[in-house]
Amino acid sequence: MSDVVEKTLTALPSLLSLDSHPGSAKLSSTSKLGNLIRGITELTSKHEEEKLIQHELLAIKEQVSSPNTTMMKELMVRSIYCEMLGYEASFSYIHAIKLAQQGTVLEKRVGYLAVSLFLNESHELLLLLVNTVLKDLQSTNLIEVCMALTVVSQMFPKDMIPAILPLVEEKLNHPKEIIRRKAVLALYKFYLIAPNQVQHIHNKFRKALCDKDPGVMTASLHIYLQMIQENPEAYKDLTPSFVTILKQVVGGKLPMDFNYHTVPAPWLQIQLLRILSLLGKNDQSTSEVMYEVLDESLQRAEMNHNITYAILYECVKCIYTIHPKSDLLEKAAKCIGNFVLSPKINLKYLGLKALTYVVQQDPKLALQHQMTIIECLDHPDLIIKRETLELLFRITNGQNVTVIVEKMLEFLCISEDDHTTIDLVGKVAELAEKYPLKYNEWFIETMNTVFSLGGDMMQPDIPNSFLKLLSEGFDSVEEDRKLRLFAVNSYIPLLRGEPGKLPQRFLQVISWVLGEYSHLREDLEPAEVLSLLAKLLDMKNSSSETKSWVLMAMTKLCKGGADASVTQEVSETYSSSLDTVLRQRAHELQYLSQDPELRARVLPRGSCGNFAFVSEALAAGAAPYKPPHQRQEELDQSKALSLEPYGLSLPISMSSCSITDRQSPTLLSMSSGLSGDTLKLDGIKRVWGREGYLAQREPVEEAAQVEVPSPIQSPGRQGEGDSLHSQTPTQTPTPEPEQEKQQLASSLFVGLASQSSVSLMGKSEPMPQRFRRKAKGQGLGSSFIANEQISSSLISPPSAVDNLLCNNLLDSNNASELAEQTSQLSQSLTTANGTCHAEAELTESDTKGCNPALRRDNCVVAAGPGPHNDPGRLTEVCLDSYLPAELSGLSHSEIAPLCANQSLNLSACHVQKEDSLILVVFIMNSSESAIQQIPAGEVTSYSVAVGQYSLTVKRPAVHVEVVGTVSYQLPAGTSQSLQFSYKVPLTSFIRPFVVSTEEYGTMWLSFSHDTKQNLTLINDNQEPLTATLNALKKKLQLHVVEVIGMEGIVACRLLQDLPCLMHCRVNAGWLAVWLRSPVPDLPDCLIYHCQRALQSL
Amino acid sequence: MIKAILIFNNHGKPRLSKFYEHYNEDTEQQIIRETFHLVSKRDENVCNFLEGGMLIGGSDYKLIYRHYATLYFVFCVDSSESELGILDLIQVFVETLDKCFENVCELDLIFHVDKVHNILAEMVMGGMVLETNMNEIITQVDAQNKMEKSEFFPFFSFSLSLYRRLSFSLPGRTGRHRQKNVSYCHV
């Protein structure tokens, strides 16, 4: 308050003077401005303001032209004020120039200011200023030089640049830093408006870059940014210089004056990072020079101020622009996470922008932040919402297109901004046209919404290309017919309703479609269509363009007869229209409707696509027509937008599976990023290709080309292999809105993951680590086997031992890891002849062990139709007793049949030991004959051999799948093999982990992988936390370390060595769970099982 | 590049407009109106970036603004400027104004349009950021002002809101100002 009082006191004299001298002539000059402003603030209407200002302008005009005016400066300020309000004061322009020419330094300054505000570079009066500028540039008064340079950089007549160029160049050597700096910017301005005039001084720019004053160097960066943008190749040699500069800046080598909130020269850093990203783009060697400094920048920028985020943002963008380096990318990705997850809305916005920027290279990131993205979709800030849609637009694929388009249309309904509407309508149309075939009805409906929302603002090519698409159709005639029929069907009710509300463009589209295709709908009388169309003609707001479209449509439809009256009436009305086009159309209508024969010749049905003139035009040298998809492709390329999964990816046919769970985005993360070098594919056949099932072609030699067949893609095979159904994730017990979000997430991010394992930037650095799993040779030596003299029935011809191929196949939910993990299991079987040791590898392609081609190939020769006992019965009854003795005391899972053929029946179960998980495989000979194992041993008829294998897990997944092959030899000497797969839930590997609270604390901090989630609480008794934890403990074998109040800590480990810690807190009726582990994926997998466990209660 | 710098008050009255690219008079007024229309309907707790004004716009352009008490400071920039960088530049601008006018309020901007322009000219030259250091800017402006004889400040019975100090936090000086802001909040 004191402040205002102070100011009012200072103002008192003027107030007093105002009171004592009411005559306006005696007022001081400044108070006239005050009067004017006060007058304006008191006004209530625009009209009054106009009157007042006009009056004011008249007064100024009068005074300004009086020869001895002493208050030019004040008059100028008043003119500036009037101009700012939008009233032209052109009479004062010349006076402003005069003031700049002749006034004292102070008056000059106002004069220059007025000139720079009033005039533009093409204004003719500006020529009068050139001399003044010349004079001032040569002045010894620094302030005058500065003023001249400022006005030059604001505007200067292009033709006059040569006149002052030498003077400005000269200023580059001026001793004063501020002059040099302004001269650099003035030259930059010249470069912008007349680049060829400053070409000879490029080396002077270099000198400016090396100026000893950092301010001048900063100014010169503007020039370099521009020039490098235009031609990066020419400036590659400067890269080390820029890197050195940035290094020095980041290292704090600049004077303290350049710090802003303790950050050294942030704007300079931003500028440099932009330059570096331009230089490093698509250039590995140049990029390599800058990795180090980028890394340093990332680290130095501590998150404490807005401006450091600005630097980080540029840094991240730069890292994703230049040639990729994996550890930098990792850091940058983390950084993007900081932005996206930030509560500060500005940072969130930038985070989304960054995601949009990088998502094509690294779709995984979008997956990581999917929940945040979903939240942003519902954000109250429209800008954030829009940015999110932009991001979604980039990740659209065939599967999520409907959801994304729906979201966009939702936004269109609330958006008021024309620019946004136009932009978004274009995007929706682009998407709809890109994926029209799949969803005919959806396509038409979407386009209808686009037309009605986009109104008459949208780009004219949208309706055009829509019509083109309709008329040209696609490959299938039937599909085309359906599409057109659906369009017709959707338009009729619209016309019956209130067509007056539809935009003109839409009406035009409707009338064209009806004219061409309404005959497809058989129950629709042309007469009815004609009358509907005629209604459009009568509407007041129909433009004449629309009317001519309508008349054209009617011409196509009329057949004479019953329709004649309508057409007759219409053509009579419009044949006297003032609009010549309409008149023409009306006459056409009249004649053609009376002469059906002529009509049939002029407008043959269904020939809208075939125009003879096209070939004529082509012959005459016109550009050939490009079909929509080709244009689309070119469009994509030009935008550098790849909406298709990367080259190696899967054929998309996943829409059939329903996804409801939060796990589901990863459920679809089929691995397509095969790193061929880690896979051995000898003997593995490629069964699934881009076009679907490949009917037993030649075995594939090149590993890298093998497509991963996804179990989900081949529903036909589901039953064959294993219990896929059992792993279909069920609904998590989450609250309604939460659940909606998750559903939304899964529908939005579906298909994205198929790209996710493509290594960053499409570069093939092997991310996947090959993972080998060694199993300790587990003595099989059960007395039973020895007694029965049954040898292992497994043979593998080359090694002559059993050959069990085990694959830690991730549960299909996490199958993205699939190709990366080829497990190797060595096993040993104690048989009568001693220990066999086998090592075998399974390669990626026969996941699920249900490679039909392979199996069929190998099993054709069966050992004759043996009498089939009921294998199921046998299994149920007897297999339990075959369980090795040392395992019989432990709890084991149900013995499940795996697979069978005429001669063998395979079953398996798993047994949990304290430090391991044992897989027991029962091999039962169900044939009459004994089956040989080489070198010796056989499984006699109707007997059982048992193998046991210890399993460990290196990379967790929700389910671990073991795939194996049993190779054996029939008495006839033919080698055979049988494949099987067995799925073990991760929970079987989980063991309680006993730690103290202190140990827990230290471990907690050291673990890096974490996940958070809300789980349902069990509410049936007084202590929901304890009850829930106990339930989890029982189901998942967790160890409850301690429960304090509303919080509880729990620990478990994956077999022996991989711990996972869990922190639970009761929060608003939910159990907020935070899991941490040193193992990636373990928290995610565990939380899944926790959900399942609580749900099943 | 910065295309335009606009300052207007809560009612859309322009207090300063500086265009670094040429538009004709009517377009300029339209831009000011449209910008005000876009900016004024935004809540306090939304982001400070706006995209897609039709006139100054296109997809390459964005508006970056800050709202201080009674005034909106809007920078229209193209994609070559860093969003957060400009946001802090506005802060530097306002802090500089505050230093030059000693607790700047809307009235200062009204009566000293020329002075404000001069300060701005030291920060942004022809659309390019020239100087971001507040002290440096003030030194330059002062050097020019030395020649200017001191003028007293004309005060009339303006609506009190015009005296409202532009509220922003300066490191180390926050306490005093915050108090003042409170007392004017409901004028």
Side-chain angles (χ1 to χ4, degrees):
Chain A
M1 194 67 188
S2 61
D3 224 35
V4 170
V5 172
E6 240 167 70
K7 284 203 173 179
T8 321
L9 283 178
T10 11
L12 266 181
S14 79
L15 282 169
L16 290 174
S17 75
L18 181 71
D19 289 338
S20 53
H21 308 281
S24 65
K26 288 180 185 164
L27 283 178
S28 76
S29 57
T30 27
S31 52
K32 266 193 182 160
L33 178 63
N35 256 339
L36 169 67
I37 293 162
R38 183 168 61 155
I40 290 171
T41 41
E42 280 168 0
L43 294 176
T44 46
S45 75
K46 186 82 190 160
H47 181 67
E48 280 178 54
E49 182 190 289
E50 204 174 314
K51 236 165 85 185
L52 186 90
I53 301 265
Q54 292 305 350
H55 187 257
E56 174 75 18
L57 284 174
L58 272 180
I60 299 174
K61 195 172 182 176
E62 208 173 279
Q63 288 186 325
V64 101
S65 46
S66 69
N68 58 347
T69 180
T70 49
M71 9 178 236
M72 266 316 252
K73 186 167 156 269
E74 191 269 341
L75 287 172
M76 274 304 137
V77 174
R78 270 156 70 193
S79 316
I80 291 175
Y81 192 80
C82 293
E83 280 258 330
M84 183 173 71
L85 292 179
Y87 299 91
E88 198 176 289
S90 49
F91 62 86
S92 58
Y93 296 172
I94 186 70
H95 297 288
I97 291 179
K98 260 199 227 158
L99 199 62
Q101 269 169 358
Q102 296 156 2
T104 63
V105 176
L106 284 176
E107 287 172 336
K108 205 185 248 304
R109 183 156 76 152
V110 177
Y112 269 131
L113 175 65
V115 167
S116 72
L117 289 171
F118 293 160
L119 304 182
N120 61 66
E121 44 206 16
S122 52
H123 201 284
E124 51 191 0
L125 283 179
L126 208 55
L127 288 176
L128 297 174
L129 197 71
V130 174
N131 256 328
T132 319
V133 169
L134 267 175
K135 205 179 82 200
D136 284 336
L137 279 176
Q138 288 163 301
S139 163
T140 47
N141 187 337
L142 290 185
I143 290 177
E144 283 181 343
V145 178
C146 277
M147 286 192 284
L149 286 172
T150 306
V151 83
V152 156
S153 72
Q154 171 73 24
M155 58 183 165
F156 201 76
K158 211 172 171 179
D159 315 329
M160 287 296 150
I161 290 176
I164 58 163
L165 190 58
L167 281 175
V168 177
E169 275 180 59
E170 199 179 278
K171 295 287 175 272
L172 287 177
N173 300 321
H174 200 279
K176 270 295 221 189
E177 168 262 330
I178 183 75
I179 306 275
R180 292 204 300 274
R181 204 196 295 191
K182 290 194 172 182
V184 167
L185 285 186
L187 284 175
Y188 172 54
K189 189 70 184 189
F190 293 164
Y191 177 78
L192 283 182
I193 55 178
N196 44 355
Q197 301 209 7
V198 287
Q199 247 160 16
H200 63 287
I201 52 168
H202 275 206
N203 57 339
K204 297 222 163 139
F205 291 155
R206 291 208 178 206
K207 212 180 140 215
L209 182 65
C210 306
D211 198 284
K212 61 179 186 293
D213 186 275
V216 181
M217 183 264 292
T218 312
S220 75
L221 290 183
H222 286 291
I223 300 176
Y224 278 103
L225 185 63
Q226 178 70 29
M227 292 194 300
I228 291 171
Q229 209 156 16
E230 285 159 12
N231 178 18
E233 292 309 318
Y235 300 93
K236 297 274 183 193
D237 60 316
L238 282 176
T239 315
S241 316
F242 291 125
V243 168
T244 323
I245 296 173
L246 184 56
K247 222 175 245 173
Q248 288 175 355
V249 174
V250 172
K253 299 272 162 44
L254 285 188
M256 287 292 276
D257 292 353
F258 287 89
N259 284 7
Y260 174 76
H261 289 271
T262 70
V263 183
W267 285 277
L268 176 57
Q269 288 193 44
I270 292 170
Q271 197 90 341
L272 281 168
L273 285 167
R274 290 204 166 205
I275 289 178
L276 287 185
S277 71
L278 288 173
L279 285 172
K281 195 173 185 180
N282 302 328
D283 185 340
Q284 185 172 0
S285 57
T286 313
S287 299
E288 273 161 7
V289 182
M290 47 187 94
Y291 288 147
E292 192 192 328
V293 72
L294 287 176
D295 196 20
E296 204 178 331
S297 287
L298 268 187
Q299 281 165 4
R300 289 268 180 154
E302 290 139 20
M303 306 273 186
N304 54 5
H305 192 270
N306 233 354
I307 201 74
T308 54
Y309 279 103
I311 298 171
L312 278 178
Y313 178 71
E314 294 304 328
C315 221
V316 167
K317 264 185 99 166
C318 180
I319 287 171
Y320 271 96
T321 309
I322 62 172
H323 188 86
K325 181 164 187 263
S326 56
D327 66 321
L328 274 183
L329 287 174
E330 217 168 89
K331 282 178 191 165
K334 211 177 258 175
C335 216
I336 292 180
N338 285 335
F339 276 91
V340 175
L341 298 173
S342 164
K344 286 186 188 161
I345 191 88
N346 285 340
L347 300 185
K348 207 175 241 338
Y349 168 83
L350 287 179
L352 286 171
K353 268 207 127 46
L355 268 184
T356 312
Y357 186 73
V358 306
V359 80
Q360 289 142 41
Q361 296 154 10
D362 191 0
K364 247 188 196 164
L365 265 182
L367 276 181
Q368 258 172 35
H369 299 296
Q370 47 176 304
M371 286 325 271
T372 320
I373 294 173
I374 301 281
E375 271 161 30
C376 289
L377 258 188
D378 292 330
H379 202 279
D381 188 352
L382 289 188
I383 298 294
I384 297 277
K385 238 177 168 170
R386 228 199 79 126
E387 202 52 48
T388 317
L389 289 177
E390 181 77 38
L391 169 61
L392 290 178
F393 175 69
R394 305 279 171 117
I395 59 167
T396 310
N397 55 34
Q399 295 140 59
N400 58 18
V401 63
T402 44
V403 195
I404 288 177
V405 164
E406 188 192 316
K407 286 282 155 195
M408 285 179 161
L409 292 178
E410 254 170 46
F411 183 85
L412 270 177
C413 294
I414 52 168
S415 156
E416 291 163 6
D417 177 26
D418 292 351
H419 176 78
T420 315
T421 310
I422 294 173
D423 181 53
L424 220 54
V425 159
K427 286 193 167 125
V428 172
E430 191 183 326
L431 289 180
E433 282 174 21
K434 203 171 158 92
Y435 307 97
L437 252 191
K438 265 191 179 166
Y439 321 97
N440 270 333
E441 307 193 350
W442 170 82
F443 172 58
I444 298 290
E445 271 164 12
T446 305
M447 290 310 287
N448 286 354
T449 327
V450 164
F451 288 135
S452 36
L453 284 177
D456 295 318
M457 283 184 302
M458 63 181 158
Q459 300 100 319
D461 60 320
I462 296 176
N464 289 349
S465 54
F466 171 71
L467 293 183
K468 219 168 243 170
L469 215 74
L470 266 188
S471 63
E472 280 159 6
F474 305 96
D475 303 335
S476 138
V477 178
E478 180 55 22
E479 283 293 317
D480 291 349
R481 204 190 65 85
K482 269 193 206 155
L483 186 70
R484 290 165 188 163
L485 181 61
F486 191 81
V488 172
N489 283 342
S490 69
Y491 294 154
I492 295 292
L494 283 176
L495 288 189
R496 283 183 185 145
E498 282 187 79
K501 286 185 179 163
L502 301 176
Q504 299 298 309
R505 286 253 173 78
F506 194 18
L507 290 178
Q508 292 163 11
V509 167
I510 290 179
S511 37
W512 188 88
V513 171
L514 289 182
E516 289 289 338
Y517 300 119
S518 65
H519 63 88
L520 291 174
R521 186 165 151 181
E522 277 143 18
D523 60 334
L524 195 65
E525 287 296 323
E528 197 193 342
V529 183
L530 280 176
S531 69
L532 282 174
L533 288 173
K535 225 167 67 186
L536 296 181
L537 288 174
D538 297 337
M539 282 181 340
K540 278 197 203 98
N541 50 1
S542 294
S543 68
S544 58
E545 198 193 344
T546 310
K547 283 180 182 165
S548 76
W549 281 75
V550 173
L551 285 175
M552 283 283 283
M554 292 176 87
T555 314
K556 288 173 201 162
L557 283 172
C558 63
K559 274 197 194 123
D563 325 332
S565 62
V566 184
T567 48
Q568 197 60 34
E569 199 181 307
V570 167
S571 55
E572 266 166 27
T573 317
Y574 287 95
S575 55
S576 56
S577 165
L578 285 177
D579 190 313
T580 47
V581 179
L582 280 184
R583 213 153 66 205
Q584 160 107 19
R585 299 276 174 248
H587 281 293
E588 282 169 14
L589 174 62
Q590 196 169 13
Y591 288 116
L592 292 178
S593 66
Q594 283 161 6
D595 190 345
E597 213 171 287
L598 179 63
R599 191 181 141 273
R601 267 212 335 254
V602 177
L603 296 165
R605 174 149 291 171
S607 65
C608 55
N610 311 326
F611 298 110
F613 67 80
V614 174
S615 49
E616 281 164 26
L618 276 178
Y625 173 74
K626 287 174 186 160
H629 59 88
Q630 189 182 340
R631 273 178 285 157
Q632 196 67 51
E633 265 168 30
E634 279 168 18
L635 195 68
D636 290 347
Q637 277 162 10
S638 65
K639 285 183 182 168
L641 232 186
S642 162
L643 292 152
E644 292 299 326
Y646 284 73
L648 263 176
S649 65
L650 304 162
I652 297 160
S653 60
M654 298 175 187
S655 44
S656 59
C657 55
S658 69
I659 298 116
T660 48
D661 194 86
R662 76 174 278 272
Q663 299 287 340
S664 44
T666 37
L667 182 122
L668 287 158
S669 38
M670 302 310 150
S671 162
S672 51
L674 306 178
S675 49
D677 51 337
T678 61
L679 299 174
K680 282 190 186 163
L681 289 167
D682 301 358
I684 304 297
K685 291 211 170 164
R686 180 182 184 184
V687 273
W688 285 87
R690 215 168 273 277
E691 300 83 26
Y693 183 64
L694 303 175
Q696 299 185 21
R697 291 195 201 150
E698 72 280 42
V700 171
E701 301 297 328
E702 326 87 59
Q705 283 186 2
V706 171
E707 309 258 345
V708 179
S710 120
I712 296 172
Q713 278 177 275
S714 48
R717 295 189 299 155
Q718 282 183 9
E720 219 180 325
D722 63 321
S723 48
L724 232 205
H725 297 294
S726 69
Q727 41 174 299
T728 308
T730 37
Q731 290 280 346
T732 38
T734 39
E736 203 54 30
E738 192 67 11
Q739 198 170 317
E740 269 171 30
K741 277 187 187 170
Q742 287 176 4
Q743 272 174 7
L744 184 60
S746 50
S747 44
L748 279 179
F749 297 95
V750 64
L752 239 208
S754 59
Q755 313 166 25
S756 66
S757 52
V758 174
S759 20
L760 300 173
M761 320 274 305
K763 163 186 70 139
S764 61
E765 257 172 40
M767 290 203 315
Q769 296 124 1
R770 180 130 174 242
F771 151 51
R772 286 172 180 253
R773 194 149 45 102
K774 285 257 193 255
K776 292 153 203 150
Q778 195 71 36
L780 181 57
S782 85
S783 55
F784 158 74
I785 296 177
N787 293 344
E788 297 276 319
Q789 290 291 309
I790 292 178
S791 53
S792 162
S793 61
L794 312 165
I795 66 159
S796 157
S799 64
V801 285
D802 51 351
N803 179 1
L804 188 77
L805 302 176
C806 285
N807 185 16
N808 166 12
L809 173 69
L810 298 166
D811 170 85
S812 57
N813 292 16
N814 276 343
S816 65
E817 312 273 357
L818 179 114
E820 299 164 14
Q821 300 188 7
T822 306
S823 70
Q824 189 182 43
L825 180 93
S826 67
Q827 56 138 0
S828 61
L829 290 174
T830 307
T831 62
N833 337 37
T835 303
C836 311
H837 189 85
E839 207 174 295
E841 280 185 27
L842 182 82
T843 42
E844 49 75 36
S845 209
D846 53 348
T847 59
K848 300 287 175 199
C850 57
N851 186 331
L854 201 65
R855 178 120 55 100
R856 216 172 301 142
D857 274 353
N858 294 349
C859 296
V860 272
V861 193
H868 284 265
N869 293 3
D870 182 359
R873 188 186 50 77
L874 189 69
T875 312
E876 276 165 31
V877 177
C878 340
L879 283 180
D880 251 2
S881 58
Y882 290 110
L883 204 67
E886 81 269 19
L887 299 179
S888 57
L890 299 163
S891 70
H892 67 84
S893 70
E894 209 173 303
I895 297 175
L898 292 176
C899 58
N901 63 8
Q902 289 93 330
S903 38
L904 283 185
N905 257 321
L906 291 186
S907 305
C909 70
H910 57 270
V911 182
Q912 291 190 22
K913 289 174 81 173
E914 198 187 328
D915 56 349
S916 63
L917 189 78
I918 309 292
L919 174 71
V920 184
V921 182
F922 303 90
I923 303 143
M924 187 169 62
N925 183 355
S926 54
S927 66
E928 302 274 10
S929 49
I931 289 175
Q932 287 294 325
Q933 185 238 345
I934 294 175
E938 60 173 29
V939 182
T940 50
S941 182
Y942 302 118
S943 60
V944 175
V946 178
Q948 50 172 304
Y949 312 95
S950 168
L951 302 182
T952 55
V953 173
K954 287 275 157 54
R955 290 279 295 266
V958 174
H959 290 91
V960 175
E961 183 141 353
V962 181
V963 179
T965 308
V966 177
S967 303
Y968 57 94
Q969 201 167 28
L970 292 167
T974 45
S975 295
Q976 309 250 326
S977 67
L978 184 58
Q979 295 196 352
F980 65 88
S981 76
Y982 185 75
K983 196 157 63 83
V984 190
L986 188 75
T987 40
S988 309
F989 294 95
I990 299 292
R991 304 285 180 270
F993 184 31
V994 185
V995 283
S996 70
T997 310
E998 289 76 36
E999 285 168 333
Y1000 183 98
T1002 42
M1003 272 192 279
W1004 180 264
L1005 293 176
S1006 61
F1007 293 169
S1008 52
H1009 299 276
D1010 66 342
T1011 189
K1012 291 180 191 177
Q1013 179 107 8
N1014 281 350
L1015 299 180
T1016 35
L1017 269 176
I1018 300 171
N1019 272 324
D1020 52 357
N1021 63 12
Q1022 298 294 317
E1023 278 288 335
L1025 178 62
T1026 326
T1028 314
L1029 289 186
N1030 281 339
L1032 285 178
K1033 181 182 172 182
K1034 210 172 113 197
K1035 288 246 175 190
L1036 300 175
Q1037 302 199 42
L1038 309 176
H1039 171 68
V1040 180
V1041 181
E1042 200 173 350
V1043 177
I1044 312 163
M1046 301 309 272
E1047 292 180 51
I1049 48 177
V1050 180
C1052 66
R1053 60 199 164 105
L1054 197 60
L1055 293 180
Q1056 275 185 299
D1057 44 355
L1058 306 172
C1060 184
L1061 306 179
M1062 190 164 150
H1063 176 265
C1064 310
R1065 192 164 53 86
V1066 178
N1067 183 18
W1070 292 91
L1071 187 67
V1073 181
W1074 189 358
L1075 286 157
R1076 275 197 177 194
S1077 168
V1079 191
D1081 303 333
L1082 183 56
D1084 288 308
C1085 300
L1086 210 59
I1087 199 88
Y1088 170 80
H1089 284 289
C1090 289
Q1091 276 177 356
R1092 295 283 302 265
L1094 289 177
Q1095 194 184 351
S1096 62
L1097 282 172
Chain B
M1 196 176 142
I2 299 169
K3 299 290 169 185
I5 294 172
L6 308 172
I7 305 176
F8 40 72
N9 71 2
N10 290 350
H11 307 292
K13 280 261 173 258
R15 292 307 178 208
L16 177 137
S17 68
K18 174 86 182 169
F19 290 85
Y20 293 98
E21 203 158 78
H22 173 61
Y23 301 94
N24 68 39
E25 193 73 10
D26 290 340
T27 323
E28 285 184 5
Q29 288 305 312
Q30 247 176 306
I31 289 173
I32 295 175
R33 271 197 303 274
E34 195 196 332
T35 312
F36 170 70
H37 180 69
L38 282 173
V39 166
S40 61
K41 64 180 180 195
R42 312 230 343 126
D43 295 338
E44 284 295 326
N45 53 347
V46 296
C47 68
N48 298 56
F49 315 115
L50 265 172
E51 273 174 68
M54 271 305 259
L55 285 166
I56 208 161
S59 51
D60 195 35
Y61 293 76
K62 53 177 82 78
L63 304 175
I64 296 166
Y65 73 96
R66 270 181 186 269
H67 188 196
Y68 296 94
T70 61
L71 290 180
Y72 286 99
F73 288 71
V74 187
F75 280 45
C76 310
V77 301
D78 68 6
S79 62
S80 71
E81 298 290 340
S82 147
E83 290 92 341
L84 288 176
I86 293 291
L87 208 54
D88 269 61
L89 193 69
I90 301 180
Q91 178 76 12
V92 170
F93 181 36
V94 177
E95 284 182 29
T96 313
L97 288 177
D98 192 64
K99 250 194 177 163
C100 289
F101 290 107
E102 285 166 18
N103 296 335
V104 65
C105 64
E106 189 178 341
L107 214 51
D108 293 314
L109 270 70
I110 300 173
F111 282 102
H112 298 288
V113 177
D114 52 333
K115 240 179 169 177
V116 179
H117 271 293
N118 289 334
I119 293 169
L120 195 58
E122 294 304 320
M123 282 185 73
V124 179
M125 187 170 154
M128 272 82 64
V129 180
L130 174 71
E131 178 60 70
T132 51
N133 184 335
M134 183 163 63
N135 297 328
E136 193 64 29
I137 299 166
I138 291 170
T139 318
Q140 289 302 324
V141 174
D142 279 351
Q144 298 170 20
N145 285 346
K146 265 180 203 157
M147 284 169 269
E148 201 156 4
K149 57 178 189 295
S150 57
E151 294 170 62
F152 65 82
F153 196 75
F155 261 69
F156 296 89
S157 48
F158 288 108
S159 139
L160 264 179
S161 74
L162 295 179
Y163 296 94
R164 202 171 136 195
R165 192 177 168 275
L166 303 183
S167 57
F168 59 90
S169 56
L170 284 175
R173 293 170 52 186
T174 47
R176 190 162 62 93
H177 293 136
R178 201 161 286 152
Q179 224 176 358
K180 222 172 349 147
N181 295 338
V182 172
S183 57
Y184 293 109
C185 267
H186 303 290
V187 176

